[in-house]
Amino acid sequence: MALELAQKQFRGVIKCKKVGGKLVQRKINKRGTGLKFNAASYELISRFTGKTRIAYAPNPKRPGSKSFDRYKKYEKSKTVADALKHCKPADLLWEYERGYLKVLGGPMAEKPACLAPPSEDPTIQILAKFRGPQGSSIKMDPEVRKRLTKLSELYGLDLDKIHEEAGKQCNSESADIQTARIVANEMARRKLASGKAIVDEDVLDVLRVWGFADNESRLNVLPEGVKSIHSDTLGILRMRDGTYRIFDPTTRYEHVTKLLCHWFATNKGKDIPDDFAFTGININHNYAGRRHRDNGNEGPSAIKAIGKFSGGKLSYFPKDIKKNGRCDVAKLSPKESLSLDLSKKFVLFNGNNAHEVQPFKGERFSLVYFTTSKFYKIKEKEFSTLKKLGFHMPTIKAIEKVKGISKKQDEERAQSL
């Protein structure tokens, strides 16, 4: 019995408390052990449905207290739906870890609520919005969490401490996202320090750990019926007010940035001109961007797709030259496009021309290297920072030369249609 208790997944001390004449096992966290709730608990509770059957222990709260009176309201609940009429998602976690709540059976969702498709089940809707204390949420994919745990142990990192500190940061990244990116950054650092050639698999390793936030801003590429995608940008972009800004993750996770720059420089192949330069890297994960034209970049772009997938070629319109009076992309005939295979090598294309990703199956990452429009207005400080990170910074002469090469290539492509 002692060995069995010692092998419990919860770190901390397990005590017994007499509740209603029965001994109930209760887990007490040690100070400084990190998350308030165990990650496995988040995963379990976030897969509850309204019909999941549960049972509560007799009221363990102090008689006369507010918590005693509130517990009394859901103490007899037999399903999660009944309990959530009177309690909060955090109560489910609190009482589950302390042995006051037992799961008896009934339907469970395959994925955490916030990772699942929209549901009509009110319970799933409630759990999909839940975020735990200190930014700890159930939104991290269970497989990613397992991978992070394994890697943090390998790298000698304290995952709980990283997550706790990340939750205190005042920036747009959640604690989950920051934690994943910190581990990915350490992985990238080690790969670069090894001195070995950086290949596709190295980039895949890092991006599989990298934390992608839900991006709702790229309206021009959102597939029909999709509200958000996994798409991040490293480097500098021209803002609406005409200024230029280096995105924070570019320098915050500098080793990831350096690895992606080094990978491109050593793997771009013969199809990418020597004078090709870039100020930004767009990273896309598992979505087929609908037909669109890129805004805010000079045009010439280099793209490659990596991962285990089938399909996912790029439908590209070589005749769709940037000019006044162009028709809407939706009106372009598919016959005016050609399919570019991005899986074997980097491909040069003009992002200002219409393009879209064909349907695919499997895991697919695509990386697009491009130059922001009017790059020559970038200040020396930002220019120098990007150069140190490995960006091949453009000159007016070089970009015009590459535009000429890209134009000639598109003319040849157009002739094949």
Side-chain angles (χ1 to χ4, degrees):
M1 179 66 175
L3 178 60
E4 183 179 348
L5 292 179
Q7 292 176 334
K8 291 282 187 180
Q9 59 180 316
F10 300 132
R11 295 175 181 175
V13 179
I14 296 178
K15 293 185 177 180
C16 291
K17 180 179 180 180
K18 207 165 188 178
V19 178
K22 298 181 180 179
L23 285 177
V24 176
Q25 289 181 3
R26 181 183 177 189
K27 176 251 179 180
I28 307 295
N29 280 329
K30 291 181 179 178
R31 287 184 180 272
T33 54
L35 302 182
K36 183 174 182 180
F37 300 120
N38 191 281
S41 299
Y42 280 106
E43 181 183 346
L44 177 70
I45 272 67
S46 67
R47 292 193 298 109
F48 280 171
T49 69
K51 296 181 179 179
T52 301
R53 292 183 289 109
I54 57 175
Y56 282 97
N59 201 327
K61 314 293 183 178
R62 180 172 57 82
S65 65
K66 291 182 179 180
S67 59
F68 180 91
D69 294 338
R70 191 154 60 89
Y71 188 95
K72 188 176 181 179
K73 293 179 180 179
Y74 55 85
E75 179 181 356
K76 302 297 182 182
S77 299
K78 295 183 179 180
T79 65
V80 175
D82 289 338
L84 284 175
K85 292 177 182 178
H86 305 285
C87 76
K88 300 176 182 179
D91 294 322
L92 297 174
L93 283 160
W94 180 273
E95 280 138 17
Y96 172 74
E97 288 203 352
R98 283 151 184 79
Y100 305 151
L101 170 65
K102 289 187 177 181
V103 182
L104 302 181
M108 296 281 288
E110 293 184 3
K111 295 182 178 181
C114 54
L115 296 176
S119 173
E120 295 182 359
D121 186 337
T123 294
I124 294 178
Q125 292 173 7
I126 292 172
L127 294 176
K129 298 176 182 178
F130 176 59
R131 294 189 69 81
Q134 296 181 343
S136 169
S137 81
I138 53 179
K139 203 163 186 175
M140 185 181 289
D141 188 296
E143 290 303 315
V144 173
R145 184 182 292 117
K146 291 178 183 177
R147 194 178 303 130
L148 290 180
T149 300
K150 184 176 180 180
L151 288 171
S152 63
E153 292 175 354
L154 177 65
Y155 299 157
L157 301 175
D158 187 333
L159 194 64
D160 280 357
K161 185 175 181 181
I162 290 173
H163 194 285
E164 184 176 0
E165 289 301 315
K168 299 175 183 177
Q169 301 298 315
C170 296
N171 56 50
S172 60
E173 297 174 343
S174 71
D176 285 349
I177 296 298
Q178 288 184 64
T179 301
R181 291 179 176 183
I182 288 171
V183 176
N185 195 52
E186 175 61 16
M187 177 188 285
R189 185 191 70 78
R190 289 170 178 253
K191 286 181 178 294
L192 290 168
S194 72
K196 297 179 181 178
I198 301 299
V199 297
D200 291 4
E201 281 301 319
D202 293 309
V203 177
L204 277 172
D205 288 343
V206 171
L207 295 184
R208 283 169 178 158
V209 177
W210 178 261
F212 285 93
D214 291 330
N215 188 333
E216 300 176 353
S217 65
R218 298 197 66 197
L219 301 179
N220 64 327
V221 304
L222 287 177
E224 187 175 350
V226 175
K227 294 183 179 180
S228 66
I229 54 176
H230 283 175
S231 179
D232 285 327
T233 299
L234 300 177
I236 195 167
L237 279 183
R238 185 171 182 263
M239 311 307 289
R240 292 180 179 177
D241 61 1
T243 61
Y244 289 81
R245 177 190 169 194
I246 294 178
F247 285 119
D248 293 340
T250 308
T251 51
R252 186 178 297 147
Y253 311 105
E254 62 173 313
H255 301 297
V256 173
T257 302
K258 288 179 178 179
L259 181 132
L260 296 183
C261 289
H262 182 73
W263 172 65
F264 176 74
T266 55
N267 291 272
K268 64 180 183 180
K270 297 180 180 179
D271 291 346
I272 306 301
D274 291 337
D275 289 307
F276 181 88
F278 60 97
T279 62
I281 308 170
N282 183 236
I283 311 167
N284 306 295
H285 176 226
N286 277 358
Y287 77 92
R290 64 182 172 88
R291 191 181 302 173
H292 67 285
R293 301 180 181 112
D294 292 341
N295 296 316
N297 78 47
E298 290 287 337
S301 306
I303 183 173
K304 186 175 184 181
I306 56 177
K308 297 180 180 179
F309 64 92
S310 59
K313 292 183 179 181
L314 188 73
S315 292
Y316 179 64
F317 294 77
K319 295 180 180 180
D320 185 43
I321 301 171
K322 186 176 182 179
K323 59 184 178 180
N324 293 329
R326 278 194 296 182
C327 69
D328 185 273
V329 291
K331 295 182 179 180
L332 291 171
S333 170
K335 295 180 180 179
E336 296 296 306
S337 70
L338 48 82
S339 295
L340 301 178
D341 187 352
L342 314 178
S343 64
K344 295 180 173 59
K345 59 183 179 180
F346 275 98
V347 174
L348 180 69
F349 76 108
N350 190 326
N352 292 328
N353 288 31
H355 55 282
E356 65 184 318
V357 177
Q358 298 174 9
F360 64 89
K361 293 182 180 180
E363 177 192 48
R364 182 182 183 274
F365 294 90
S366 68
L367 294 99
V368 185
Y369 293 73
F370 66 95
T371 294
T372 190
S373 61
K374 298 184 179 179
F375 62 89
Y376 46 83
K377 292 187 177 181
I378 298 174
K379 294 182 179 180
E380 180 60 32
K381 180 181 178 181
E382 285 76 18
F383 193 98
S384 177
T385 297
L386 292 176
K387 193 171 182 180
K388 288 178 181 178
L389 289 169
F391 286 81
H392 185 182
M393 300 301 288
T395 63
I396 294 177
K397 182 178 179 180
I399 199 72
E400 290 303 321
K401 184 177 180 179
V402 175
K403 283 182 178 180
I405 295 173
S406 178
K407 181 181 179 181
K408 183 178 180 181
Q409 184 181 59
D410 280 351
E411 289 174 348
E412 294 173 351
R413 286 169 171 169
Q415 291 177 2
S416 67
L417 295 174

